[in-house]
């Protein structure tokens, strides 16, 4: 099965984790919201699938490019 | 007696040129999923339009009686052709002849292609595969001396590689492995494309391995690396897509700096007012929104051609049309650091504004910039110097300019939204919001004494913030005539089309004051 890592597009802190592991998500769906430059910047699903693994926790500082979670192709 | 024997020899030699490196090498090229240089040129240009120059050049082998056995063609194929009916110059590397390297090259060929483009004032498309430079280290033995790069007699191609940027549109296509001078010719363009199977690097994996970096071609210089680094503008799946992108890019540009871009007929209503624009920007300033649909809503339908999407992503940049008139479009992307300008974004702005200035393209900027990037990484990458460089590029521009302030305009990057030393058009949306610096963080600094003296500092901070926010309305700025116009966002397209009509006769052919650099 295709596993797609979803990286943080921006450095910031994890503001909100919108989805849970095991959840089915649609393409373009908000997965995690990061706070960066005082704005809430969502990381969205690159394709439809199932959330396999969430690799960050709320409030955690993340670097640009850091993998936030992994999606399996649906 | 006619010249029939010579005519036959011309045909025989032409056939040898068309056979390139031979059936085996051509087969190998196809097996690797790549086209030959001649197939590439054929698919890039209008059918039957290619007129080759120097097809007979190469290395001839003769028997003891001086009879021709075979000619291995030079690995550079070039000539004139047409793209959408407009003349261009095309120059391509033949990878089937000694891997496209300079070992099998005749240096005068790529140079003449570049000279021809400049002198005939025609765009040049460089179809690049291989290294194309001083050849391999083996050349030392075959020539009996080591090549001084840029030594006597060897400078003009290096000069043209960059100088042509100030003369004619230059497009580079990286189709295969591209290294050394090949990489330089790809990077030194107005628009560069590579296929995702290609790789581009200064030096390839075997050389890099000596640094202790064990990387394959893709990991070292694949499309992911090179489009994110900004060295290449676009990555595509197939060579045909690269050719299509080339044709599209050229359609927005004049043939040289000595002309202006052709205006196409437009059937999209200039008064089209997309209802979505009124609610496109969220009222909650912490929330982001998608800029690309806004671009689509205001330019001629389907006309936006984005360039360099993976690099300097706080700015979306590309070419577009307004009532058929080609313009350079810049727009902020709040999804990337709220649209704040980092060093990479500033470099992108410089390059794009220079492109507009070189080819007399009016500029439209849909702005939402909360400032330059802040923090340690931003300081380490010299954001402020790249920032003032971008500001200088705007200020040095002379092309017609129109800015629409969509939301934020803060700080020095906020000021860098129009050429500061001359008149340009400017509109602010109802959602516009600006200041010397954002309130958040700024209040603590400016009102420290007042906040610290308060019995409840948090409440005091909130109170001051509310007080200041009430004064933030763009209408108050308009009262002072600090901004000319505040508009219903649905009128944006009509006003931009109006700008295009005003700008069209102002486009002034000729070389730009500053020669564009890659």
């Amino acid at each position: 099965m295709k596993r797609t890592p979803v990286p943080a597009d921006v450095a910031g802190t994890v503001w909100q984790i919108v989805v849970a592991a095991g959840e089915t998500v649609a393409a373009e769906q908000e997965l995690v919201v990061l706070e960066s430059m005082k704005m809430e910047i969502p990381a969205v699903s690159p394709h439809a699938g199932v959330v396999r693994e969430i690799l960050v926790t709320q409030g955690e500082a993340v670097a640009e490019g850091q993998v936030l979670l992994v999606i399996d192709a649906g | 007696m006619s010249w029939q024997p010579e005519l036959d020899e011309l045909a025989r030699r032409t056939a040898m040129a068309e056979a390139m490196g031979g059936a085996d090498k051509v087969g190998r090229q196809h097996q690797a999923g790549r086209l030959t240089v001649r197939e590439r040129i054929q698919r890039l240009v209008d059918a039957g339009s290619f007129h080759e120059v120097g097809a007979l050049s190469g290395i001839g082998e003769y028997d003891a009686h001086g009879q021709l056995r075979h000619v291995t063609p030079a690995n550079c194929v070039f000539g004139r052709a047409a793209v959408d009916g407009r003349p261009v110059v095309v120059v391509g590397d033949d990878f089937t002849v000694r891997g496209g390297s300079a070992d099998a090259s005749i240096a005068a060929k790529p140079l003449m292609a570049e000279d021809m483009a400049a002198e005939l004032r025609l765009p040049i498309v460089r179809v690049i595969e291989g290294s194309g430079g001083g050849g391999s280290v083996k050349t030392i033995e075959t020539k009996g001396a080591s090549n001084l790069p840029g030594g006597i007699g060897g400078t003009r191609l290096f000069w043209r590689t960059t100088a042509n940027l100030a003369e004619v549109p230059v497009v580079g296509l990286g189709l295969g492995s591209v290294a050394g001078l090949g990489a330089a010719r790809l990077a030194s363009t107005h628009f560069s494309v590579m296929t995702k199977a290609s790789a581009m690097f200064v030096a390839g994996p075997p050389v890099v391995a000596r640094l202790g970096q064990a990387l394959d071609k893709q990991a070292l210089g694949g499309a992911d690396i090179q489009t994110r680094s900004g060295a290449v503008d676009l990555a595509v799946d197939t060579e045909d897509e690269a050719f299509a992108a080339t044709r599209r890019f050229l359609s927005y540009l004049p043939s040289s700096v000595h002309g202006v871009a052709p205006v196409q007929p437009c059937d999209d209503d200039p008064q089209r007012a997309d209802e979505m624009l009124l609610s496109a920007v969220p009222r909650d300033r912490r929330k982001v929104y998608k800029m690309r649909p806004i671009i689509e809503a205001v330019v001629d339908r389907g006309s936006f051609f984005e360039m360099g999407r993976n690099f300097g992503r706080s700015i979306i940049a590309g070419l577009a049309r307004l009532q058929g008139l080609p313009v350079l479009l810049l727009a902020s992307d709040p999804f990337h650091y709220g649209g704040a300008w980092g060093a990479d974004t500033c470099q992108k702005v410089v390059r794009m504004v220079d492109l507009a200035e070189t080819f007399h393209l009016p500029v439209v900027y849909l702005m939402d910039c909360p400032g330059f990037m802040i923090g340690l990484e931003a300081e380490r990458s010299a954001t402020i110097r790249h920032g003032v460089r971008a500001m200088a590029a705007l200020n040095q521009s002379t092309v017609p300019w129109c800015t629409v302030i969509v939301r934020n305009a803060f700080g020095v990057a906020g000021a860098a939204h129009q050429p500061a030393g001359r008149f340009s058009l400017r509109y602010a949306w109802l959602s516009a919001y600006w200041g010397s610096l954002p309130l958040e963080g700024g209040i603590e600094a400016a009102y420290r004494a007042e906040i610290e003296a308060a019995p409840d500092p948090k409440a005091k901070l909130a109170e001051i913030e509310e007080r200041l926010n009430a004064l933030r309305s763009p209408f108050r700025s308009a009262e002072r005539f600090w901004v000319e116009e505040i508009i219903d966002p649905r009128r944006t397209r009509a006003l931009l089309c109006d700008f295009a009509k005003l700008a069209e006769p102002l486009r002034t052919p000729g070389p730009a004051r500053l020669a564009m650099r890659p």
Side-chain angles (χ1 to χ4, degrees), chain B residues 38-348:
Chain B
R38 290 181 182 280
E39 290 164 338
R40 285 169 176 166
I41 292 172
Q42 204 174 28
R43 291 193 189 207
L44 168 68
V45 304
D46 295 353
S49 70
F50 183 53
H51 176 94
E52 188 173 354
V53 177
L56 304 185
S57 62
I59 298 164
E61 292 160 47
Y62 294 84
D63 66 17
H65 309 290
Q67 294 297 306
L68 178 68
R69 276 199 190 124
H70 185 252
V71 178
T72 302
N75 63 2
C76 168
V77 176
F78 84 102
R80 310 187 285 281
V83 166
D84 294 334
R86 301 166 69 200
V88 299
V89 172
V90 185
V91 56
D93 300 324
D94 184 353
F95 199 73
T96 67
V97 180
R98 295 219 213 165
S101 108
D103 288 1
S105 79
I106 293 177
K109 289 191 80 178
L111 174 58
M112 182 175 280
E114 299 282 337
D115 281 346
M116 183 161 86
E119 299 293 339
L120 296 180
R121 300 182 174 181
L122 299 177
I124 184 164
V125 182
R126 302 176 184 151
V127 181
I128 305 166
E129 182 174 8
S131 69
S136 70
V137 292
K138 266 191 186 164
T139 316
I140 299 172
E141 241 176 3
T142 54
K143 298 241 162 113
S146 192
N147 172 50
L148 168 62
I152 297 164
T155 57
R156 270 185 74 86
L157 183 62
F158 290 101
W159 174 65
R160 275 289 186 214
T161 296
T162 60
N164 264 350
L165 291 182
E167 299 286 339
V168 296
V170 181
V171 179
L173 306 180
L175 307 176
S177 294
V178 175
L181 179 59
R185 291 172 69 235
L186 180 56
S188 182
T189 53
H190 296 110
F191 180 57
S192 54
V193 189
M194 66 190 287
T195 56
K196 288 175 187 163
S198 297
M200 178 238 220
F201 21 65
V202 175
V207 184
V208 168
R210 297 282 288 265
L211 303 176
Q213 297 177 6
L215 299 166
D216 65 18
K217 286 180 178 180
Q218 283 294 318
L220 179 62
D224 245 24
I225 302 280
Q226 297 299 11
T227 60
R228 283 169 205 270
S229 73
V232 172
D233 294 311
L234 176 69
V236 292
D237 289 311
T238 65
E239 295 192 8
D240 279 334
E241 286 169 86
F243 307 144
T246 304
R247 292 192 293 266
R248 185 144 185 229
F249 172 76
L250 292 175
S251 76
Y252 295 87
L253 294 181
S255 292
S256 78
V257 299
H258 302 283
V260 291
V263 179
Q264 288 193 354
C266 168
D267 54 12
D268 192 2
D269 183 3
Q271 299 297 324
R272 177 165 61 87
D274 209 319
E275 204 53 38
M276 160 280 253
L277 294 172
L278 188 57
S279 52
V281 178
R283 293 193 74 90
D284 182 349
R285 279 193 297 271
R286 288 180 54 83
K287 301 284 186 202
V288 297
Y289 58 92
K290 290 185 175 168
M291 182 59 90
R292 286 180 181 85
I294 295 177
I295 297 172
E296 297 292 341
V298 300
V299 302
D300 292 354
R301 196 170 273 123
S303 75
F304 183 53
F305 179 70
E306 188 169 354
M307 297 161 64
R309 181 172 182 150
N310 288 351
F311 173 70
R313 287 179 297 156
S314 294
I315 282 284
I316 299 164
L319 301 163
R321 288 192 177 87
L322 293 166
Q323 274 203 284
L325 183 89
V327 297
L328 179 89
L329 191 130
L330 303 174
S332 304
D333 186 357
F335 269 77
H336 200 68
Y337 294 107
W341 287 14
D344 53 353
T345 298
C346 295
Q347 290 175 43
K348 183 175 185 175

Side-chain angles (χ1 to χ4, degrees), chain B residues 245-516:
Chain B
T246 304
R247 292 192 293 266
R248 185 144 185 229
F249 172 76
L250 292 175
S251 76
Y252 295 87
L253 294 181
S255 292
S256 78
V257 299
H258 302 283
V260 291
V263 179
Q264 288 193 354
C266 168
D267 54 12
D268 192 2
D269 183 3
Q271 299 297 324
R272 177 165 61 87
D274 209 319
E275 204 53 38
M276 160 280 253
L277 294 172
L278 188 57
S279 52
V281 178
R283 293 193 74 90
D284 182 349
R285 279 193 297 271
R286 288 180 54 83
K287 301 284 186 202
V288 297
Y289 58 92
K290 290 185 175 168
M291 182 59 90
R292 286 180 181 85
I294 295 177
I295 297 172
E296 297 292 341
V298 300
V299 302
D300 292 354
R301 196 170 273 123
S303 75
F304 183 53
F305 179 70
E306 188 169 354
M307 297 161 64
R309 181 172 182 150
N310 288 351
F311 173 70
R313 287 179 297 156
S314 294
I315 282 284
I316 299 164
L319 301 163
R321 288 192 177 87
L322 293 166
Q323 274 203 284
L325 183 89
V327 297
L328 179 89
L329 191 130
L330 303 174
S332 304
D333 186 357
F335 269 77
H336 200 68
Y337 294 107
W341 287 14
D344 53 353
T345 298
C346 295
Q347 290 175 43
K348 183 175 185 175
V349 169
V350 171
R351 181 153 177 261
M352 291 297 156
V353 171
D354 284 356
L355 175 71
E357 184 67 14
T358 301
F359 294 110
H360 330 300
L361 300 172
V363 177
V364 170
Y365 178 20
L366 306 178
M367 179 212 198
D368 178 358
C369 180
F372 289 126
M373 281 289 292
I374 57 171
L376 182 57
E377 267 319 300
E379 302 304 337
R380 280 198 170 129
S381 55
T383 298
I384 193 64
R385 196 179 63 73
H386 289 288
V388 289
R389 192 172 160 80
M391 191 162 78
L394 265 69
N395 289 344
Q396 288 169 347
S397 72
T398 63
V399 288
W401 192 290
C402 181
T403 298
V404 178
I405 304 176
V406 172
R407 182 147 75 173
N408 294 305
F410 283 92
V412 179
H417 68 257
Q418 57 170 190
R422 63 185 169 104
F423 175 82
S424 65
L425 292 185
R426 174 168 50 198
Y427 304 100
W429 277 17
L430 301 164
S431 44
Y433 182 69
W434 46 60
S436 296
L437 75 167
L439 291 184
E440 302 85 352
I443 298 180
E444 287 89 329
Y447 292 85
R448 179 169 297 143
E450 195 181 334
I451 292 166
E452 281 173 0
D456 182 352
K458 260 195 175 165
K460 190 73 192 172
L461 179 71
E463 180 201 313
I464 296 170
E465 190 168 341
E466 205 182 310
R467 206 166 78 208
L468 296 184
N469 257 331
L471 302 174
R472 271 277 157 100
S473 159
F475 290 116
R476 283 178 172 257
S477 304
E479 273 175 32
R480 304 287 172 99
F481 197 53
W482 288 343
V483 68
E484 303 87 337
E485 286 185 60
I486 296 172
I487 61 163
D488 177 341
R490 291 169 298 186
R491 288 183 60 219
T492 304
R493 170 164 169 78
L495 290 167
L496 291 180
C497 288
D498 186 38
F499 164 69
K501 283 288 161 227
L502 294 169
E504 188 180 336
L506 301 178
R507 300 178 302 160
T508 310
R513 206 164 30 159
L514 293 177
M516 185 168 174

